[in-house]
Amino acid sequence: MSDDAAHPLFTAYRPNRRTLLQAGSLALLLAGKQQIAFGASIMAVRVWPAEDYSRVTLESDVPLVAKQTLIESPPRLAVDIEGLQLNSALKELVAKVRPDDPNIAAIRVGQNAPNVVRLVIDLKQEAVPQVFTLKPVAAYQHRLVFDLYPSKAVDPLEALIQERLRDASPSSNLPPALTPSADHVASHDPLGDLIAKHSSGGSAPAEPAPSTPAASNTQVAQAQPPAKTPSKTPGASATASPAHTSRKTDRIIIVALDPGHGGEDPGAIGPKGTYEKDVVLKIAKLLRDRINRSTINGSPMRAYMTRDGDFFVPLGVRVQKARRVQADLFISIHADAFTRPSANGASVFALSQKGATSTAARWLANKENQADLVGGINVRSQDKTVQQMLLDMSTTAQINDSLKLGTALLTQIGSFAKLHKPRVEQAGFAVLKAPDIPSVLIETAFISNPAEEQKLRSASYQNKLADAMMAGIRQYFIKNPPLARSRSV
């Protein structure tokens, strides 16, 4: 043996069993990382069509990296997704596009290059796409989301007007209920004037709708609460100008209905698989029909729904929509859930500025306020100024009116259903923070309770709930008549 070979400096580099095992483990780890980077698995694909926007979701076991290009003619969005092989799950997207989707005409998929899948979304109209990723939350793993907003955004006020006109009787521009009485002429509603102009073929300037969610939120920040003017005396009404008396409009009472959750966010799920988002949408539509057939002291009522289909609406946008149509009331409809299936009963909640009135109310508000995480929003598009405004803009007067509305609704629901608490509770629900609209959140029942889930699935029980809510709205307006107001259009 040479002197060099015997030297300790050289003997220290002789590989032993432990060194070989460590080197082998490192090689496996490196190979594993390479496999993760180029071996993502698609768990599910979903398409959510709606007038507001259409959403395409790819759910995978690891984050996906995408590069998109918007092509103007014909309008389409081309997306290259790295680390993917074309498989049957991706091919399912082609068949998931519905003919009535207002934004997506078709979807094509193909293997553009090794480990790169190209997704082409053919559009029915010019769109403003948002492409973003969501981290795992609730039952979902990683999500790559494509939100396709029409370049000319849907204006809630315009949508309400068009819906009102569709329901108008063919024999006249508007239903007889809209013809003003002498008592109501003086407090004519500019919104009603706009409807009359639409129905007669005239035009009236309407505030343009924002083209993107970010612009939409900015508009909320700039919006001023509707000015409330005092009612005039009957004598003044009798001497109203001919221009006012000739209008086929009157003070329209608008109730914003907000079916909770939707789209990617199913809400609570009952033991038999009933989705909260589906049940509350049915109840909201039943209540909408009752409101649209009703009048309060001769003034016609109109319901506006923050969503009328299975798609997700962020919490801040729900508030913004209600303010855009300058609603008189805001009612958010939900179905509760708890870890114990024995929990039961209906509840009504209003906003609190000083903390929740109970531990359960605080827990529920925290759960409902996480809807944006599950439903999925593009955080980069959200205006931070508006987010802070939504936290700060609630008023004492709004909360007091909300408590009155909640008490009326709770009284009517309690006439046939078990109540979880005998009073209106309060907590920091984000969706109740419009400063100028009395707002409540109704938990119709515990969908996690097998017996109450069965009731919520029943058409007769859904109708009872809608009847009770309508009666509660009437009861509220009997004691708190809607003030004359000048709506800006």
Side-chain angles (χ1 to χ4, degrees), residues 453-464:
E453 178 192 22
Q454 189 62 34
K455 288 181 179 179
L456 288 173
R457 293 164 63 100
S458 162
S460 62
Y461 196 78
Q462 293 170 6
N463 275 286
K464 284 184 178 181

Side-chain angles (χ1 to χ4, degrees), residues 19 35 50 62 78 96 117 126 150 160 165 222 286 390 444 459 465:
T19 304
Q35 183 180 5
V62 297
K96 286 184 177 287
V117 167
E126 293 183 2
L160 183 68
L165 295 178
Q222 297 170 344
L286 291 171
L390 287 175
T444 53
L465 284 168

Side-chain angles (χ1 to χ4, degrees), residues 239-488:
T239 58
S241 65
H244 283 175
T245 56
S246 64
R247 300 191 190 278
K248 297 182 179 180
T249 63
D250 196 7
R251 169 71 162 89
I252 298 176
I253 300 171
I254 299 174
V255 180
L257 302 180
D258 176 49
H261 311 281
E264 290 278 288
D265 178 16
I269 303 175
K272 290 186 177 179
T274 308
Y275 282 7
E276 176 185 1
K277 67 174 183 177
D278 297 332
V279 168
V280 298
L281 181 59
K282 291 179 181 177
I283 296 170
K285 287 182 175 180
L286 291 171
L287 179 55
R288 175 192 63 187
D289 295 341
R290 285 158 172 76
I291 291 172
N292 289 348
R293 294 195 300 263
S294 300
T295 61
I296 297 292
N297 294 329
S299 294
M301 300 184 70
R302 197 72 195 169
Y304 173 77
M305 295 181 63
T306 59
R307 73 175 180 96
D308 57 3
D310 188 11
F311 63 98
F312 178 71
V313 182
L315 298 175
V317 176
R318 295 169 188 261
V319 177
Q320 176 213 358
K321 285 184 169 187
R323 298 194 77 210
R324 175 65 182 123
V325 301
Q326 299 165 54
D328 295 278
L329 302 177
F330 179 91
I331 300 175
S332 191
I333 305 174
H334 292 254
D336 211 345
F338 197 60
T339 53
R340 294 196 308 270
S342 58
N344 60 9
S347 306
V348 177
F349 295 86
L351 185 66
S352 171
Q353 289 179 312
K354 301 178 181 179
T357 51
S358 70
T359 302
R362 183 183 302 108
W363 177 85
L364 180 63
N366 290 337
K367 182 170 72 73
E368 296 293 358
N369 290 346
Q370 292 175 0
D372 283 353
L373 297 177
V374 181
I377 61 170
N378 185 3
V379 178
R380 289 173 297 178
S381 74
Q382 301 300 302
D383 188 292
K384 292 183 179 180
T385 304
V386 175
Q387 290 180 359
Q388 187 60 40
M389 181 194 66
L390 287 175
L391 295 176
D392 298 339
M393 68 184 185
S394 55
T395 64
T396 301
Q398 182 259 22
I399 291 176
N400 288 338
D401 286 340
S402 300
L403 289 171
K404 294 175 184 177
L405 172 62
T407 299
L409 291 165
L410 197 67
T411 299
Q412 296 298 327
I413 294 173
S415 66
F416 73 94
K418 177 178 174 58
L419 299 179
H420 188 65
K421 289 289 180 66
R423 64 182 183 280
V424 179
E425 293 214 74
Q426 293 178 260
F429 291 91
V431 80
L432 301 183
K433 293 186 176 182
D436 42 10
I437 308 173
S439 305
V440 296
L441 184 147
I442 301 174
E443 296 285 358
T444 53
F446 277 84
I447 201 169
S448 54
N449 181 301
E452 295 202 339
E453 178 192 22
Q454 189 62 34
K455 288 181 179 179
L456 288 173
R457 293 164 63 100
S458 162
S460 62
Y461 196 78
Q462 293 170 6
N463 275 286
K464 284 184 178 181
L465 284 168
D467 286 338
M469 292 179 197
M470 186 68 238
I473 292 169
R474 286 187 173 281
Q475 181 180 327
Y476 169 79
F477 278 127
I478 288 173
K479 296 182 179 179
N480 306 275
L483 297 175
R485 70 192 299 179
S486 178
R487 286 190 172 94
S488 59

Side-chain angles (χ1 to χ4, degrees), residues 25-49:
S25 299
L26 179 60
L28 287 173
L29 283 173
L30 291 173
K33 287 185 177 179
Q34 188 73 6
Q35 183 180 5
I36 290 174
F38 293 101
S41 296
I42 298 296
M43 316 302 294
V45 295
R46 295 178 289 274
V47 179
W48 305 102

Side-chain angles (χ1 to χ4, degrees), residues 161-176 178 195 199 302:
I161 292 170
Q162 294 301 330
E163 182 184 275
R164 182 65 172 153
L165 295 178
R166 283 197 302 268
D167 292 349
S169 60
S171 58
S172 63
N173 287 337
L174 290 171
L178 288 178
I195 293 176
S199 64
R302 197 72 195 169

